């Protein structure tokens, strides 16, 4: 005679507890996939989406920094434009016959102080130590071309040309160094075209900054959409459905309790059978 073992009951009890623990882990972490064994293919896809979303997030930070840079440069050049407007007004006043020599000299002094301030703005305007309106604080040559990483791939770049928004780059050094003794009405009239050309050049620089800012804003909006879509796709794969998982947890909990009771009952029956045989 043989005695039936409770091997099947034990295996069922172990399986129920394993599933119960897995369900409890999903509820506790909020993740449907906590290890590769849960769903290897979905985990691989989710990890790729995580890498992609991290790259997009950094690109958004890059674009926002670039936008801040262009705004700083544009505001600085706006101030320079106002200086040149004032310079032009002073030249118009100096070019008329009703202005005395003393008055014309005072106007030239005011003009040259304005141009010195224009150079000060060019040398000091920077973003995170990067000069925007000339090469460096002590280098009046043109600044380097700026390239902004605006996407997760190496070729996702937005470029902005170099700028030389100082008296040297705008062709105003002759006016800056004008000798007051030889500054007459005709000289003032001659410098009007020079200032007009400088304003045109400065507006070209501002236009480049503005078009770059528009590109950056467009890239920012696109990146934000990509980030939202990528995170949503990752969430679908990784995030647990709490309502469904709580139902599953309750089911597994009941099965585990029933299994424990069945195993205990099976052990009692086995013990009774053994005693009966011994008797």
């Amino acid at each position: 005679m043989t005695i039936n073992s409770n091997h099947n009951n034990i295996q069922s009890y172990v399986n129920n507890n394993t599933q119960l623990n897995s369900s409890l882990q999903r509820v506790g972490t909020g993740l449907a996939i906590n290890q590769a064994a849960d769903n290897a293919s979905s985990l691989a896809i989710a990890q790729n989406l995580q890498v992609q979303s991290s790259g997009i997030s950094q690109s958004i930070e890059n674009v926002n920094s670039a936008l801040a840079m262009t705004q700083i440069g544009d505001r600085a050049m706006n101030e320079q434009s106002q200086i040149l407007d004032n310079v032009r007004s002073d030249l118009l006043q100096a070019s008329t016959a009703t202005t005395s020599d003393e008055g014309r000299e005072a106007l030239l002094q005011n003009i040259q102080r304005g141009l010195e301030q224009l150079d000060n703005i060019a040398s000091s305007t920077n973003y995170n130590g990067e000069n925007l309106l000339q090469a460096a604080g002590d280098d009046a040559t043109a600044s380097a071309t700026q390239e902004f990483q605006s996407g997760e791939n190496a070729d996702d770049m937005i470029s902005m040309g170099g700028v030389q928004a100082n008296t040297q780059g705008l062709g105003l050094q002759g006016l800056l160094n004008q000798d007051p003794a030889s500054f007459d009405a005709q000289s003032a009239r001659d410098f009007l075209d020079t200032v007009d050309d400088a304003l045109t050049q400065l507006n070209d620089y501002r236009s480049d900054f503005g078009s770059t800012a528009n590109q950056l804003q467009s890239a920012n909006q696109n990146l934000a959409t990509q980030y939202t879509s990528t995170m949503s796709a990752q969430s679908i794969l990784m995030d647990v459905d709490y309502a469904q998982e709580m139902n599953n947890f309750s089911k597994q909990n009941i099965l585990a309790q029933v299994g424990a009771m069945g195993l205990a009952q099976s052990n009692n029956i086995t013990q009774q059978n053994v005693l009966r045989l011994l008797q």
Side-chain angles (χ1 to χ4, degrees):
M1 177 180 291
T2 61
I3 301 175
N4 292 330
S5 69
N6 60 354
H7 174 74
N8 290 335
N9 289 335
I10 294 174
Q11 187 62 45
S12 177
Y13 175 73
V14 170
N15 290 339
N16 287 338
N17 274 279
T18 299
Q19 294 182 33
L20 177 63
N21 290 333
S22 296
S23 181
L24 181 60
Q25 186 179 32
R26 287 191 289 271
V27 171
T29 62
L31 299 175
I33 304 175
N34 290 284
Q35 52 191 351
D38 293 336
N39 192 327
S41 60
S42 293
L43 179 62
I45 295 172
Q47 288 178 332
N48 288 335
L49 290 172
Q50 176 62 45
V51 171
Q52 184 179 359
S53 64
S54 297
I56 294 173
S57 178
Q58 183 58 56
S59 296
I60 291 174
E61 291 186 24
N62 292 346
V63 169
N64 286 332
S65 295
L67 278 168
M69 174 184 285
T70 60
Q71 290 170 358
I72 290 173
D74 181 68
R75 289 169 184 169
M77 285 188 287
N78 180 63
E79 183 62 30
Q80 289 181 315
S81 180
Q82 292 179 11
I83 290 174
L84 292 182
D85 284 343
N86 293 333
V87 167
R88 194 176 192 281
S89 295
D90 288 342
L91 286 174
L92 285 171
Q93 185 177 352
S95 66
T96 185
T98 56
T99 301
S100 65
D101 291 340
E102 292 78 8
R104 195 171 288 114
E105 183 176 345
L107 287 169
L108 179 60
Q109 185 179 35
N110 191 51
I111 288 170
Q112 291 176 336
R113 285 178 178 174
L115 294 179
E116 288 173 357
Q117 178 58 24
L118 185 143
D119 278 341
N120 288 337
I121 293 173
S123 64
S124 62
T125 300
N126 72 89
Y127 180 83
N128 196 28
E130 183 74 22
N131 278 72
L132 306 181
L133 306 186
Q134 62 181 46
D138 56 355
D139 184 352
T141 59
S143 63
T145 298
Q146 303 290 340
E147 293 188 341
F148 308 116
Q149 185 73 36
S150 58
E152 55 179 323
N153 299 315
D155 56 351
D156 293 332
M157 304 294 295
I158 293 176
S159 299
M160 183 175 67
V163 177
Q164 192 178 10
N166 48 41
T167 54
Q168 177 181 320
L170 298 175
L172 296 169
Q173 285 191 312
L175 181 55
L176 178 62
N177 299 318
Q178 173 64 42
D179 185 358
S182 60
F183 184 64
D184 54 16
Q186 185 58 50
S187 299
R189 285 191 289 271
D190 291 341
F191 278 123
L192 283 172
D193 288 339
T194 303
V195 173
D196 287 341
D197 290 342
L199 280 166
T200 299
Q201 181 61 62
L202 189 61
N203 287 334
D204 287 344
Y205 288 143
R206 293 190 68 187
S207 178
D208 190 21
F209 269 62
S211 61
T212 301
N214 288 336
Q215 286 181 278
L216 291 167
Q217 288 173 350
S218 178
N220 198 25
Q221 293 172 358
N222 181 54
L223 287 168
T225 300
Q226 289 185 43
Y227 183 77
T228 301
S229 299
T230 303
M231 293 301 294
S232 177
Q234 185 187 19
S235 175
I236 291 172
L237 291 172
M238 293 295 295
D239 292 350
V240 71
D241 182 338
Y242 272 102
Q244 179 180 352
E245 196 56 47
M246 286 304 298
N247 287 333
N248 182 51
F249 175 77
S250 298
K251 173 186 175 182
Q252 297 302 329
N253 191 30
I254 292 172
L255 289 175
Q257 293 180 31
V258 170
M261 293 175 60
L263 183 61
Q265 186 64 28
S266 176
N267 288 335
N268 290 334
I269 293 174
T270 300
Q271 291 175 3
Q272 292 175 4
N273 289 337
V274 170
L275 291 173
R276 187 177 298 110
L277 288 173
L278 291 176
Q279 291 175 352

